Short mmCIF file of all heavy atoms in Angstrom, two decimals:
data_model
loop_
_atom_site.label_atom_id
_atom_site.label_comp_id
_atom_site.label_asym_id
_atom_site.label_seq_id
_atom_site.Cartn_x
_atom_site.Cartn_y
_atom_site.Cartn_z
N MET A 20 30.50 -59.92 -24.38
CA MET A 20 29.48 -60.63 -25.12
C MET A 20 29.41 -62.08 -24.62
O MET A 20 30.41 -62.67 -24.35
CB MET A 20 29.84 -60.57 -26.65
CG MET A 20 28.74 -61.05 -27.52
SD MET A 20 29.23 -60.88 -29.27
CE MET A 20 27.82 -60.01 -29.88
N ILE A 22 29.28 -65.99 -24.52
CA ILE A 22 29.96 -66.95 -25.34
C ILE A 22 29.01 -67.75 -26.25
O ILE A 22 29.30 -68.06 -27.36
CB ILE A 22 30.82 -67.93 -24.48
CG1 ILE A 22 31.72 -68.81 -25.38
CG2 ILE A 22 29.97 -68.78 -23.60
CD1 ILE A 22 32.84 -68.08 -25.99
N GLY A 23 27.79 -68.02 -25.70
CA GLY A 23 26.79 -68.75 -26.48
C GLY A 23 26.32 -67.93 -27.71
O GLY A 23 26.19 -68.47 -28.81
N LEU A 24 26.09 -66.63 -27.47
CA LEU A 24 25.65 -65.76 -28.56
C LEU A 24 26.77 -65.61 -29.60
O LEU A 24 26.48 -65.60 -30.78
CB LEU A 24 25.27 -64.40 -27.96
CG LEU A 24 24.66 -63.42 -28.95
CD1 LEU A 24 23.39 -63.94 -29.56
CD2 LEU A 24 24.34 -62.09 -28.23
N LEU A 25 27.97 -65.55 -29.13
CA LEU A 25 29.11 -65.45 -30.05
C LEU A 25 29.23 -66.69 -30.92
O LEU A 25 29.49 -66.62 -32.15
CB LEU A 25 30.41 -65.24 -29.25
CG LEU A 25 31.66 -64.94 -30.05
CD1 LEU A 25 31.48 -63.71 -30.90
CD2 LEU A 25 32.86 -64.79 -29.12
N LEU A 26 29.05 -67.87 -30.30
CA LEU A 26 29.09 -69.11 -31.09
C LEU A 26 27.97 -69.19 -32.12
O LEU A 26 28.17 -69.62 -33.25
CB LEU A 26 29.01 -70.35 -30.14
CG LEU A 26 30.28 -70.64 -29.36
CD1 LEU A 26 30.01 -71.72 -28.34
CD2 LEU A 26 31.44 -71.01 -30.29
N ILE A 27 26.77 -68.77 -31.75
CA ILE A 27 25.65 -68.76 -32.66
C ILE A 27 25.94 -67.82 -33.81
O ILE A 27 25.65 -68.11 -34.99
CB ILE A 27 24.36 -68.36 -31.96
CG1 ILE A 27 23.93 -69.48 -31.04
CG2 ILE A 27 23.25 -68.04 -32.97
CD1 ILE A 27 22.77 -69.15 -30.14
N CYS A 28 26.55 -66.66 -33.57
CA CYS A 28 26.89 -65.72 -34.61
C CYS A 28 27.94 -66.27 -35.56
O CYS A 28 27.83 -66.13 -36.79
CB CYS A 28 27.37 -64.41 -34.00
SG CYS A 28 26.13 -63.43 -33.21
N ILE A 29 28.91 -66.95 -35.03
CA ILE A 29 29.99 -67.53 -35.85
C ILE A 29 29.44 -68.68 -36.72
O ILE A 29 29.68 -68.72 -37.93
CB ILE A 29 31.15 -68.03 -35.00
CG1 ILE A 29 31.86 -66.82 -34.36
CG2 ILE A 29 32.12 -68.86 -35.77
CD1 ILE A 29 32.88 -67.20 -33.32
N VAL A 30 28.67 -69.54 -36.12
CA VAL A 30 28.10 -70.70 -36.86
C VAL A 30 27.14 -70.18 -37.97
O VAL A 30 27.15 -70.64 -39.10
CB VAL A 30 27.37 -71.67 -35.92
CG1 VAL A 30 26.59 -72.69 -36.70
CG2 VAL A 30 28.38 -72.36 -35.01
N GLY A 31 26.32 -69.22 -37.59
CA GLY A 31 25.41 -68.63 -38.59
C GLY A 31 26.14 -67.97 -39.73
O GLY A 31 25.73 -68.05 -40.89
N GLY A 32 27.18 -67.27 -39.45
CA GLY A 32 28.00 -66.63 -40.48
C GLY A 32 28.66 -67.62 -41.39
O GLY A 32 28.65 -67.48 -42.62
N ILE A 33 29.20 -68.68 -40.81
CA ILE A 33 29.85 -69.71 -41.62
C ILE A 33 28.81 -70.41 -42.53
O ILE A 33 29.08 -70.64 -43.71
CB ILE A 33 30.57 -70.74 -40.71
CG1 ILE A 33 31.80 -70.09 -40.05
CG2 ILE A 33 30.98 -71.99 -41.48
CD1 ILE A 33 32.43 -70.92 -39.01
N LEU A 34 27.64 -70.74 -41.99
CA LEU A 34 26.60 -71.38 -42.79
C LEU A 34 26.12 -70.47 -43.90
O LEU A 34 25.86 -70.92 -45.04
CB LEU A 34 25.46 -71.81 -41.90
CG LEU A 34 25.72 -72.98 -40.99
CD1 LEU A 34 24.55 -73.24 -40.07
CD2 LEU A 34 26.11 -74.21 -41.75
#
Side-chain angles (χ1 to χ4, degrees):
M20 191 178 231
I22 188 72
L24 186 60
L25 187 60
L26 285 173
I27 290 172
C28 289
I29 291 172
V30 170
I33 290 171
L34 290 175

